[in-house]
Amino acid sequence: MVTRARHARTTVRRVADRGPLRFLAPAGLLARGFMYIVIGWIALQVAFGKSGQQADRSGALHALSGTPFGTVALWVLVIGFFGMALWQLSEALFGSPSGGQQAGTRLRALARGVIYGILGYGVLEYTIGAGGQQSSDQQSVDLTATLLRHPGGQEVIAVIGLAFVGGGLYLGYRSWRERFREGLRLAEMRAVTGLIVGWLGRVGGVARGVVFVTVGVFLVVAAVTTQPRQAKGLDSALRSLAATPGGPWLLALVAIGLIIFGAFSCCEARWVRVEKPTSTM
């Protein structure tokens, strides 16, 4: 029975590798990259007072919908985010090419699958006009206020905040050490291309980690002070960087970093490895 079950899982994984995942994985990475580029561009304009848009998902969707190709772009994001969700859920079930069957890797894939599924559903609602997109700031405040009204809510918020901080540090560390190379088809890259992709992943990943840490710190502050308004979404977290001694230049640097991460995500879409390696080179 065990042998048959393993054979069935192997067969399903091979079908997934050779079929939908070859398209779902790149589509998801392109959608993620496109979203980060738009958010980063809005944040860069905010840094120098040239935009009143929200530098988050809602602002990006609003900006895209106002362009001549807005409807097409939104549907591309819908397909891409759902594709990313299905890809990550597949890796949670069958393991990933770089992480194998490790429990931690599969749990992270499951979490990413759920998150991107929620993102895809939110963009779908916005695209078909079934609902507006709340800003990330309002979502954070509402969620924090709801949790604080329940016993143990303060502790839950603190744990979530610390998880964001830890996740941001982990993302920054992995990016700086270029661990992302494990999931790329490096043999198909030219030497110069590999260097460029490595630089994009390093800089962009660290900038993304900084944003996660910033959001997490404000959640912890909200938990300690029991003030929901202290919780900040992506937009307010980015804007808070402009209030540091570095001024708008720090926000500008992080914004450029997010754009760079978006470019790296597009590179991932081109060279992502969805099949397990056939050799141990």
Side-chain angles (χ1 to χ4, degrees), residues 16-170:
D17 285 342
R18 297 174 183 176
L21 283 188
R22 287 185 176 273
F23 303 98
L24 293 179
L29 290 166
L30 279 174
R32 185 182 72 178
F34 194 32
M35 182 67 78
Y36 268 99
I37 288 171
V38 176
I39 291 174
W41 176 247
I42 294 173
L44 187 59
Q45 292 180 303
V46 167
F48 299 104
K50 295 183 178 180
S51 175
Q53 288 275 22
Q54 294 280 322
D56 57 11
R57 184 177 73 251
S58 64
L61 294 179
H62 184 73
L64 287 173
S65 64
T67 63
F69 55 87
T71 302
V72 174
L74 291 175
W75 278 110
V76 168
L77 290 178
V78 170
I79 295 170
F81 283 136
F82 278 128
M84 175 73 88
L86 290 172
W87 172 39
Q88 292 300 313
L89 291 175
S90 170
E91 297 215 328
L93 287 171
F94 309 114
S96 69
S98 58
Q101 303 296 322
Q102 295 177 14
T105 301
R106 297 174 75 162
L107 285 173
R108 287 193 295 272
L110 176 61
R112 287 193 295 266
V114 172
I115 291 170
Y116 281 106
I118 294 172
L119 283 174
Y121 180 75
V123 178
L124 177 62
E125 278 193 317
Y126 184 89
T127 303
I128 64 178
Q133 279 284 306
Q134 265 192 325
S135 70
S136 59
D137 296 332
Q138 192 60 51
Q139 289 176 337
S140 295
V141 171
D142 289 347
L143 177 60
T144 303
T146 300
L147 289 173
L148 285 175
R149 286 196 292 267
H150 294 83
Q154 188 176 6
E155 290 75 13
V156 171
I157 296 168
V159 169
I160 294 173
L162 290 173
F164 266 94
V165 172
L169 293 174
Y170 178 73

